[in-house]
Amino acid sequence: MADHTLPTRHADENRPVRIVTDILPALRDACPVPSRQSPYADEVQRWLMGWLPQTGLPLDEPARQRLAGARFAHYAGRLYPDATEADLRVLSALFTWFFLVDDACDGPGRLELAEIRGLRDGAVLLLQGRSRPRHPGLRGPLRRLLVNAWREPHRRMPTRWRLRFADAVARHLDGTWQEATNKSRGHAPGVTEYVALRRATSAADVSYPLAEFVTGRPLPDAVYHHPLLRELRDLGNDLLSWYNDLASLASDAATSGGHNLVLATATERQVRVDDAVEVVTRRWHESMRRFVDRRAAVPSFGPALDSAVTTHLDGVSRAVRGTIDWTLESTRYVGKEGHLINASGSKGAPS
């Protein structure tokens, strides 16, 4: 099996810089979706940093700095720019929960496979309204955070929406468990296997129903699961996931066990990682063109539903653009080096 670490040959030394300075901004510029941000993002980010310790999270100063730099409220604000300030607090808390779970399952000292499965089962039971007795797999600060964040969606949204959201969370955490299983077994997925798995681990499918929480207009199941709408959600998922894979390539090469589209492509095609970057970039452009074409082909579902369908698909589009913008402005993927791209579009200066 091919080595998944970044080659040290001189020709490859500048790859991370080239991705940051050339490829990621070019893909951002090729995204036709307008960039938006909630007017409440800054205030909700401040609220979030003050509220999280109340859940019992053990936040020392380095952890606080990582959370502040990750800017999860700004991420939620980009996906849901029309949310009220109160709803953006809910969304930011939910986003934080998913990222904390991701770190627990894939970071240093990560959970064992049985613990990931227990966390998945406990979270899904809580979201389904079957949290008594408490599942032992979901406890402590993660449970308190989810209980608080879920209270308002549970109060406002109908049962069919809550079950749809719980199903999306179950698929996401099943994917998280599968990736952890692959790593424990030394299994690096091929491209087709990886693309399907990445659609689960990205949590994009979790973000889509949350747009309906903001509007209060959930689509009927038959419309939500229409093949064309499902295809558009998959395309949007791919676009934001592959962008993230390019942004995180340097770290993924050392830690992901091949769970990155660039690395899977390099192994399957037996090409250099530089060449695989070009293949993935072309594939991203092709998928964006298809996304635009397929969105234009969406039929009318009738005057009672067309507005809600448009809002749903706008949410899918904003998930793509919002992830692109947030990836470039968050410090989650570059740590102490600061933003990937500053406001002028150039590489961020070290902080």
Side-chain angles (χ1 to χ4, degrees):
M1 182 174 295
D3 182 7
H4 285 157
T5 60
L6 283 175
T8 57
R9 297 189 301 274
H10 178 74
D12 297 324
E13 285 178 356
N14 294 322
R15 182 192 309 114
V17 174
R18 185 173 65 87
I19 290 174
V20 168
T21 60
D22 298 337
I23 296 175
L24 295 179
L27 295 181
R28 176 196 58 193
D29 294 344
C31 178
V33 182
S35 179
R36 295 190 62 195
Q37 177 59 280
S38 167
Y40 307 115
D42 288 339
E43 180 60 34
V44 172
Q45 182 67 35
R46 287 190 288 270
W47 167 84
L48 184 66
M49 296 307 300
W51 176 75
L52 285 173
Q54 299 176 32
T55 67
L57 283 173
L59 297 179
D60 57 16
E61 188 55 30
R64 284 185 59 83
Q65 290 179 4
R66 287 194 299 273
L67 281 171
R71 297 163 63 93
F72 295 139
H74 290 82
Y75 191 13
R78 289 201 173 278
L79 269 63
Y80 313 105
D82 298 317
T84 65
E85 182 175 356
D87 283 354
L88 191 60
R89 289 185 178 190
V90 171
L91 296 161
S92 300
L94 285 170
F95 273 38
T96 303
W97 187 86
F98 282 105
F99 278 107
L100 290 174
V101 167
D102 180 64
D103 288 345
C105 296
D106 195 37
R110 58 178 173 264
L111 299 177
E112 299 293 333
L113 293 176
E115 293 176 309
I116 296 174
R117 178 59 66 189
L119 175 60
R120 177 262 190 212
D121 292 345
V124 171
L125 287 172
L126 189 153
L127 295 171
Q128 291 174 337
R130 298 189 292 143
S131 57
R132 294 288 186 270
R134 292 185 179 184
H135 192 285
L138 180 65
R139 59 187 183 274
L142 281 178
R143 187 182 192 281
R144 287 191 289 274
L145 202 166
L146 185 59
V147 166
N148 278 278
W150 184 239
R151 186 170 290 125
E152 188 63 12
H154 181 271
R155 182 186 72 83
R156 281 180 13 202
M157 301 304 286
T159 300
R160 61 183 172 84
W161 180 91
R162 298 198 304 270
L163 294 178
R164 183 189 297 162
F165 184 81
D167 286 346
V169 172
R171 290 193 302 275
H172 167 59
L173 295 178
D174 284 341
T176 300
W177 178 88
Q178 185 60 59
E179 180 173 327
T181 299
N182 290 349
K183 291 178 180 178
S184 71
R185 296 174 179 173
H187 171 65
V191 170
T192 299
E193 178 188 353
Y194 175 75
V195 168
L197 179 60
R198 190 69 170 95
R199 288 174 179 171
T201 59
S202 75
D205 282 347
V206 174
S207 75
Y208 301 147
L210 291 174
E212 298 175 329
F213 162 68
V214 171
T215 64
R217 300 175 63 190
L219 292 173
D221 285 343
V223 176
Y224 189 89
H225 295 294
H226 186 278
L228 184 51
L229 270 60
R230 185 169 60 246
E231 180 185 2
L232 283 163
R233 288 194 296 270
D234 285 346
L235 285 167
N237 194 338
D238 292 341
L239 288 165
L240 65 88
S241 297
W242 302 346
Y243 191 91
N244 179 269
D245 281 4
L246 287 163
S248 60
L249 176 59
S251 59
D252 284 352
T255 64
S256 74
H259 289 75
N260 180 295
L261 185 58
V262 175
L263 300 176
T265 299
T267 298
E268 185 166 291
R269 296 194 178 201
Q270 297 185 330
V271 298
R272 295 166 63 248
V273 175
D274 273 358
D275 296 327
V277 167
E278 300 303 326
V279 172
V280 170
T281 300
R282 288 196 300 271
R283 185 170 182 174
W284 190 94
H285 282 290
E286 291 165 0
S287 293
M288 177 58 79
R289 286 191 290 271
R290 182 165 180 80
F291 180 80
V292 172
D293 290 345
R294 298 303 285 160
R295 168 117 197 218
V298 172
S300 171
F301 290 87
L305 291 171
D306 280 348
S307 177
V309 169
T310 296
T311 299
H312 174 71
L313 294 178
D314 285 346
V316 176
S317 298
R318 280 198 295 270
V320 176
R321 181 61 192 236
T323 299
I324 290 172
D325 290 337
W326 173 77
T327 298
L328 297 177
E329 67 191 11
S330 169
T331 61
R332 181 169 174 84
Y333 299 103
V334 289
K336 295 180 181 179
E337 294 180 1
H339 303 168
L340 280 173
I341 302 292
N342 65 26
S344 66
S346 60
K347 186 177 184 294
S351 57

